[in-house]
Amino acid sequence: MTSTPRPRPQSQPRPRDLGIAPGTLPPGPSNSLTDVPGVRVGHVTLDHHDAETPVRTGATVVVPAPGSVFREKPVAGLEVVNGFGKAAGLSQIAELGVLETPLALTNTLGVGAAFEGLVRHALDGHPEIGTTTGTVNPAVFECNDGWLNDIRGLHVRPEHVLDALSAASDGPVPEGAVGAGTGMVAFGWKAGIGTSSRLIEAGEGTGDGTGARYTVGVLVLANFGVAEDLTVLGVPVGRTLTPHQAREQAEFARGAGSCVVLIATDAPADARQLRRMAKRATVGLARTGGIVQHGSGEYALAWSTTHRVPHRPAGPVRAASALAEDGPLIDRFFRAVAEATEEAVLGSLFAARPVTGVRGHHAPALPAETVTGLIGDATLRVRPGAPDHPAT
């Protein structure tokens, strides 16, 4: 499988541009969540450099499928890796296995405003909500950007979510310090939004001859990790590159913050299978050095754009297909989630510019060229025949 990457609206090189390509499965055309047909992403960035109290925050929305997701609900599976978080709408997703609004990402104290924004959006498009049918379950995820942002100022408002929805696009997704990622930090470095995708051939190695191709796309909001733990392609680069300011603030150095992983696929997976996929996001996080600290809330949500549940069913029984789990195909989806999550976290770091925020706190940009040099040096050290690893 081959794909031709589409241009992206950012100047920083992505990990893959520098030869850092986690895993073995090929990426989609833009190597982003929006490679899954029908998925759209929008950002609103609140970045006030001249303000007396710096504002470094925003909102990111994901439209999970085309059409009305309230009337035709995408099937979904949720994994709460560590529940130290203030997300909204998750208990109903876990119980019913469906989404019924777009997904919003923002800072911890902006959850209420984002919730209201999603409610307004749902009410505007669905006059039946609260009149001839029930209410609606907005899904909002958060991370704490208080290291750089004036989080007490409650700068994210409902209209910002509506603006992000209006701006949502199926094109390449900007990464780094953008939208909800504007004030986020991972492993002591500026991070934020990251994204990646993988393509899966259903017929490979199965002999079924179907030739079906599926896409798995991932978007992360990365705000977690201890600086010394940062790992890239198995190389512990954080031990060499640890930024000094991560030692200056105890809570920051402990890795408190959180990470949200959103996973879309066009495969006909059911809610149980999607939850199994969501669990594999932890593999990708661990590969980057995440250990899920006490104060870091990790959430993973996966959904299918193919399986939709009507708000008003046609009858008492609903027929649905699912992926076979008695062959190699399901493992390819697990691999795709792990690989794309790992690359998305690295992408959030590589794309982010340095940011200075409240109380003079500074998050530097990850030195990408230094990282690639460390990886190259490590590769030489372990290569058979190298001076410190003689061939036997």
Side-chain angles (χ1 to χ4, degrees):
M1 279 182 296
T2 60
S3 60
T4 302
R6 289 184 282 178
R8 304 179 61 78
Q10 63 187 50
S11 58
Q12 292 294 99
R14 304 183 80 193
R16 195 167 287 265
D17 298 332
L18 300 174
I20 298 173
T24 60
L25 293 172
S30 68
N31 194 15
S32 66
L33 180 71
T34 53
D35 285 331
V36 179
V39 177
R40 294 182 287 130
V41 176
H43 300 295
V44 165
T45 299
L46 305 179
D47 191 3
H48 303 163
H49 290 277
D50 299 327
E52 182 177 343
T53 302
V55 176
R56 308 283 187 263
T57 193
T60 294
V61 298
V62 175
V63 180
S68 169
V69 296
F70 179 77
R71 295 180 181 130
E72 296 290 331
K73 308 176 194 299
V75 172
L78 173 72
E79 178 68 9
V80 179
V81 182
N82 184 41
F84 199 109
K86 288 75 179 172
L90 302 193
S91 60
Q92 183 169 310
I93 295 172
E95 181 71 19
L96 302 184
V98 295
L99 307 176
E100 56 183 29
T101 71
L103 310 168
L105 307 174
T106 190
N107 74 61
T108 305
L109 299 187
V111 169
F115 187 96
E116 181 179 340
L118 291 179
V119 168
R120 290 185 183 181
H121 179 260
L123 295 178
D124 286 346
H126 304 87
E128 69 270 30
I129 293 175
T131 55
T132 59
T133 189
T135 58
V136 65
N137 181 49
V140 183
F141 294 87
E142 54 76 32
C143 292
N144 185 350
D145 60 12
W147 173 256
L148 295 174
N149 174 49
D150 171 35
I151 195 168
R152 290 175 57 88
L154 304 179
H155 299 284
V156 175
R157 307 310 307 151
E159 55 267 25
H160 294 133
V161 172
L162 294 172
D163 290 344
L165 284 164
S166 296
S169 165
D170 62 359
V173 179
E175 298 178 284
V178 63
T182 304
M184 304 301 175
V185 180
F187 300 103
W189 305 94
K190 187 67 191 75
I193 297 292
T195 190
S196 186
S197 67
R198 293 295 185 272
L199 302 176
I200 297 171
E201 294 283 3
E204 287 183 359
T206 65
D208 63 12
T210 61
R213 172 183 285 188
Y214 299 117
T215 302
V216 172
V218 167
L219 183 140
V220 303
L221 180 61
N223 190 56
F224 71 103
V226 175
E228 291 87 347
D229 288 341
L230 176 61
T231 302
V232 180
L233 294 187
V235 180
V237 299
R239 299 177 189 174
T240 301
L241 298 175
T242 302
H244 68 86
Q245 90 286 350
R247 302 190 185 97
E248 297 174 355
Q249 210 264 0
E251 183 179 2
F252 185 71
R254 284 200 301 267
S258 300
C259 185
V260 179
V261 184
L262 303 181
I263 305 154
T265 183
D266 53 2
D270 61 25
R272 179 185 59 81
Q273 293 174 328
L274 290 162
R275 185 182 179 192
R276 296 190 72 197
M277 292 183 201
K279 287 182 179 181
R280 273 60 184 185
T282 59
V283 177
L285 298 179
R287 287 176 178 175
T288 66
I291 64 167
V292 190
Q293 276 97 339
H294 162 71
S296 182
E298 271 73 18
Y299 296 84
L301 174 73
W303 71 90
S304 168
T305 61
T306 298
H307 274 339
R308 309 283 291 269
V309 176
H311 183 70
R312 297 190 183 278
V317 176
R318 179 177 62 88
S321 59
L323 295 169
E325 294 178 79
D326 58 351
L329 181 58
I330 194 68
D331 283 337
R332 293 201 194 102
F333 283 92
F334 296 163
R335 177 182 294 276
V337 170
E339 292 181 4
T341 300
E342 178 184 8
E343 187 166 353
V345 171
L346 298 180
S348 76
L349 289 159
F350 276 64
R353 56 175 174 78
V355 172
T356 299
V358 294
R359 297 177 292 281
H361 293 166
H362 180 71
L366 184 72
E369 293 185 0
T370 303
V371 170
T372 56
L374 290 170
I375 294 171
D377 291 344
T379 301
L380 288 173
R381 285 196 299 271
V382 301
R383 184 181 298 161
D388 58 346
H389 190 165
T392 57

